[in-house]
Amino acid sequence: MLWAEQKYGADAAALVQQTKLRNYLEEAQMKREPLIRYRYANREDMFDRHSYDKGGRVLHMLRKYVGNDAFFTSLNRYLTQNKLSSTELAKLRIAFEETTGEDLMWFFDQWFLQRGHPELRVTHSFENSQVVLHVQQVQDTLYQPVYRLPVTVATWNGGQPTEHRILITKADQTFHLPVNQRPNLVKFDHEGTLLAQVDETQTQEELLYQLSHARGYLQKYAAIQGLRSKTADLTVSSAFRNALSDPFWATRVAALDGLRRYRGAEGSAVRKDLQRVALNEKKGVVRAAAISVLSSFQNEDFSEVYAAALKDSSYLVVGAAVDALSKAPTAATRTQVAALQETKNSALLTALSNYYGLNGTLDDYSWFLRRSQDAPAEVLYVMLENFGTLMQRMPPLSGRKVSSA
């Protein structure tokens, strides 16, 4: 993760972390294996999301725990001592222990040798100048351990956070954090370091405060997700509109998606903001997201925006416009889309097949046959599904011949 921080910045590194964690958790719904395994059902399992995505996150947690200097000194020691030889996990642990002077058996055992991950339920209250923080580990401990988790909790007042280091060692634990007044926000795992599923109870006011004061992408994203169901509230929709100007592009995308199918009192202003972003945003992926969100408003005409997007320099944006037009085609759409038929871009080819599947005629049969011959493997499956959609819409041929040219 450090390379991403150094090359792209902290927010980009956080986005990488989020993606890797999501990848692992998705795979963990189907299987849970230790990182260190001595038997594999299939050789490809050595390259699964446990090995790469969970493994990377575990090393990230280890770096955060021991610090950058100790982390890289330990790795250098490990590589020097074991160069040109076979090695075991214990040697990596020993290299870290010799560097830090700390017993790290607990860390290596629970993260490398045990399966699964912590599932946490976190609540808090304010009592007698203290934040009372209640943390429960609710994972199935028949197959997974009760984890030892060093965590940073931040309490916010006056726009500034105070960090509290806690150590979770039990399945059900309560902590008392000293504060001078009721905090505006209490944020568990303040730095977003844990590999865990965290169900953290927060009020709408806390989430709004988190969105406006958070210094990193992960906290802003979490706040947007927590507020998605409350966009009818003016304070929430206004906060999302403000987030459309956030410095980091992925936060802008999250805010856009939070406004999907918006039905609140700021409808006119929201639609204007979405059109502005679709036409003027500097980042192609954000322009594409804005077009996708515009298309979620049924029976509304944004054809001028879509037509402009079809001439965009980004294939992502053009593809989003084609997808939008597939839901609400205009008289000019077929000619506009036809000009893109010979594209070599995978995303755009997928969008075109979707358009023809929903709106094509028997004349487009030959396009599917021809493009299926040169479509990349990752596109072909979706293309065939869309071809099936087209054919289901066609009347029986009754002996008519169809050209396969």
Side-chain angles (χ1 to χ4, degrees):
M1 300 301 177
L2 184 61
W3 68 267
E5 291 178 21
Q6 293 174 335
K7 187 172 182 179
Y8 301 110
D11 280 335
L15 179 60
V16 172
Q17 293 176 36
Q18 181 192 59
T19 302
K20 298 297 184 183
L21 176 60
R22 185 183 293 132
N23 288 345
Y24 159 69
L25 291 176
E26 185 179 276
E27 186 175 79
Q29 295 178 13
M30 298 176 285
K31 68 174 185 180
R32 298 194 181 186
E33 299 285 351
L35 273 181
I36 303 299
R37 287 164 276 173
Y38 296 96
R39 294 180 180 85
Y40 292 91
N42 186 296
R43 64 186 179 185
E44 296 303 317
D45 287 345
M46 290 187 288
F47 308 102
D48 63 8
R49 296 178 184 183
H50 282 60
S51 298
Y52 278 80
D53 296 322
K54 180 180 181 179
R57 183 62 174 248
V58 167
L59 291 175
H60 174 65
M61 287 191 294
L62 181 58
R63 178 172 70 88
K64 286 290 187 179
Y65 180 72
V66 303
N68 284 338
D69 289 344
F71 181 79
F72 290 107
T73 299
S74 300
L75 288 183
N76 182 270
R77 180 192 296 267
Y78 169 73
L79 293 171
T80 300
Q81 291 177 345
N82 297 284
K83 65 183 178 181
L84 304 178
S85 65
S86 59
T87 186
E88 290 283 346
L89 176 67
K91 294 182 180 180
L92 179 64
R93 173 179 58 79
I94 290 169
F96 272 87
E97 291 179 337
E98 289 176 345
T99 302
T100 62
E102 182 177 347
D103 181 355
L104 293 172
M105 177 66 81
W106 62 272
F107 185 96
F108 281 78
D109 178 65
Q110 69 184 19
W111 290 116
F112 286 92
L113 300 175
Q114 301 289 331
R115 69 185 68 195
H117 55 269
E119 298 171 28
L120 307 178
R121 187 173 298 142
V122 181
T123 60
H124 68 266
S125 59
F126 176 70
E127 301 172 14
N128 302 320
S129 298
Q130 291 182 325
V131 168
V132 180
L133 185 77
H134 187 204
V135 182
Q136 294 173 287
Q137 297 193 43
V138 297
Q139 68 271 11
D140 186 347
T141 54
L142 181 63
Y143 301 101
Q144 298 160 111
V146 173
Y147 286 83
R148 174 187 173 100
L149 302 172
V151 181
T152 300
V153 181
T155 54
W156 286 75
N157 272 115
Q160 294 295 325
T162 299
E163 295 185 350
H164 309 263
R165 295 287 295 175
I166 64 172
L167 179 61
I168 301 167
T169 57
K170 301 175 182 177
D172 194 312
Q173 210 162 349
T174 300
F175 302 88
H176 295 82
L177 313 178
V179 291
N180 295 325
Q181 57 184 309
R182 180 183 293 273
N184 299 112
L185 170 67
V186 176
K187 189 69 188 83
F188 181 82
D189 189 21
H190 176 56
E191 297 177 327
T193 302
L194 284 181
L195 190 158
Q197 288 176 284
V198 182
D199 177 10
E200 183 177 13
T201 301
Q202 293 176 281
T203 66
Q204 178 173 314
E205 290 70 25
E206 285 182 300
L207 289 169
L208 285 167
Y209 187 93
Q210 181 172 316
L211 179 54
S212 61
H213 289 80
R215 296 171 182 172
Y217 163 71
L218 289 178
Q219 287 197 30
K220 292 179 183 179
Y221 177 84
I224 290 170
Q225 293 303 107
L227 292 166
R228 282 176 63 99
S229 63
K230 303 173 182 179
T231 53
D233 188 302
L234 280 174
T235 57
V236 175
S237 59
S238 295
F240 280 23
R241 290 175 60 203
N242 288 336
L244 297 179
S245 300
D246 189 86
F248 187 52
W249 65 267
T251 304
R252 302 197 294 274
V253 168
L256 284 166
D257 201 50
L259 293 169
R260 189 177 295 273
R261 292 184 291 276
Y262 176 76
R263 290 292 182 268
E266 292 190 306
S268 177
V270 165
R271 285 159 176 77
K272 287 180 180 178
D273 281 345
L274 294 175
Q275 292 178 78
R276 171 183 56 78
V277 173
L279 294 171
N280 301 318
E281 159 71 39
K282 62 182 179 181
K283 193 85 173 175
V285 65
V286 184
R287 296 197 301 277
I291 290 168
S292 175
V293 174
L294 281 172
S295 72
S296 72
F297 297 99
Q298 297 181 356
N299 304 317
E300 297 191 37
D301 184 9
F302 301 109
S303 56
E304 291 185 7
V305 176
Y306 303 152
L310 288 174
K311 302 173 184 177
D312 199 278
S313 59
S314 166
Y315 283 118
L316 278 176
V317 177
V318 178
V322 172
D323 280 333
L325 287 167
S326 70
K327 301 175 185 177
T330 67
T333 300
R334 185 170 181 84
T335 301
Q336 294 169 328
V337 170
L340 305 168
Q341 283 189 346
E342 304 310 314
T343 182
K344 301 296 184 183
N345 180 265
S346 297
L348 182 52
L349 187 57
T350 300
L352 287 170
S353 74
N354 179 57
Y355 173 84
Y356 286 125
L358 295 173
N359 301 285
T361 68
L362 197 56
D363 293 336
D364 301 308
Y365 178 95
S366 59
W367 179 85
F368 274 101
L369 292 183
R370 178 166 52 82
R371 292 313 309 266
S372 65
Q373 301 303 311
D374 63 357
E378 68 271 16
V379 174
L380 188 58
Y381 181 80
V382 177
M383 178 178 280
L384 292 176
E385 281 191 327
N386 289 327
F387 177 65
T389 301
L390 171 69
M391 297 311 296
Q392 286 178 343
R393 295 174 42 249
M394 295 298 103
L397 297 180
S398 302
R400 282 181 57 190
K401 292 184 178 180
V402 180
S403 170
S404 60

